[in-house]
């Protein structure tokens, strides 16, 4: 079994900061790419930020300069530092990872999501 557990969501005022964390656990041999997606009410889920096993990153244009994704390969953890938050950042944020299990199966996994609400 593989599980992704997010933490760090909450309610903040515009201009504030939050740090999301996602820890992967279970029968993990290795993790390739990890990322954060978000889905706001009435909108499609979008990729916010992603990071490869080698540390290469990419971000959706709307968060560039404000969000920073990082990972700790030893801990199988990915983080998203969110600064200068805007009301439009309000969404459920989901952790995502491509994981190779000890069984040899390579699959994509999702966390349960954590709510981020930014008040104006």
């Amino acid at each position: 079994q593989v599980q992704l557990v997010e933490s760090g969501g909450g309610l903040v005022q515009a201009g504030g900061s939050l740090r999301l964390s996602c820890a992967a656990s279970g029968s993990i041999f290795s993790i390739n790419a990890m990322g954060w997606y978000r889905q706001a009410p009435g909108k499609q889920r979008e990729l916010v930020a992603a990071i490869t096993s080698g540390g290469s990153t990419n971000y959706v244009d709307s968060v560039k300069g404000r969000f920073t994704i990082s990972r700790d390969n030893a801990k199988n953890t990915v983080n998203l530092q969110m600064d200068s938050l805007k009301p439009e950042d309000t969404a459920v944020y989901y952790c995502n990872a491509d994981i190779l299990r000890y069984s040899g199966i390579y699959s994509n996994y999702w966390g349960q999501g954590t709510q981020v609400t930014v008040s104006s």
Side-chain angles (χ1 to χ4, degrees):
Q1 294 280 5
V2 171
Q3 184 178 31
L4 303 181
V5 179
E6 302 103 332
S7 62
L11 173 64
V12 298
Q13 294 183 348
S17 298
L18 284 174
R19 184 176 178 85
L20 305 183
S21 296
C22 173
S25 62
S27 57
I28 299 170
F29 180 77
S30 63
I31 302 177
N32 189 14
M34 302 185 77
W36 288 94
Y37 290 72
R38 68 185 180 187
Q39 187 165 25
K43 297 183 179 180
Q44 296 182 352
R45 186 173 299 187
E46 67 172 348
L47 175 65
V48 178
I51 184 168
T52 69
S53 60
S56 297
T57 62
N58 65 83
Y59 302 87
V60 66
D61 287 343
S62 61
V63 308
K64 288 181 178 178
R66 300 188 298 118
F67 291 9
T68 302
I69 189 170
S70 61
R71 65 189 289 168
D72 185 333
N73 292 329
K75 298 180 179 179
N76 290 334
T77 299
V78 62
N79 306 115
L80 186 67
Q81 178 66 43
M82 305 185 294
D83 298 320
S84 301
L85 283 163
K86 303 175 180 179
E88 49 263 48
D89 294 319
T90 296
V92 177
Y93 284 70
Y94 297 90
C95 178
N96 181 267
D98 295 322
I99 297 175
L100 176 64
R101 298 175 62 186
Y102 285 113
S103 64
I105 298 175
Y106 186 77
S107 301
N108 182 260
Y109 296 86
W110 290 94
Q112 296 300 306
T114 184
Q115 177 70 48
V116 171
T117 302
V118 184
S119 62
S120 60

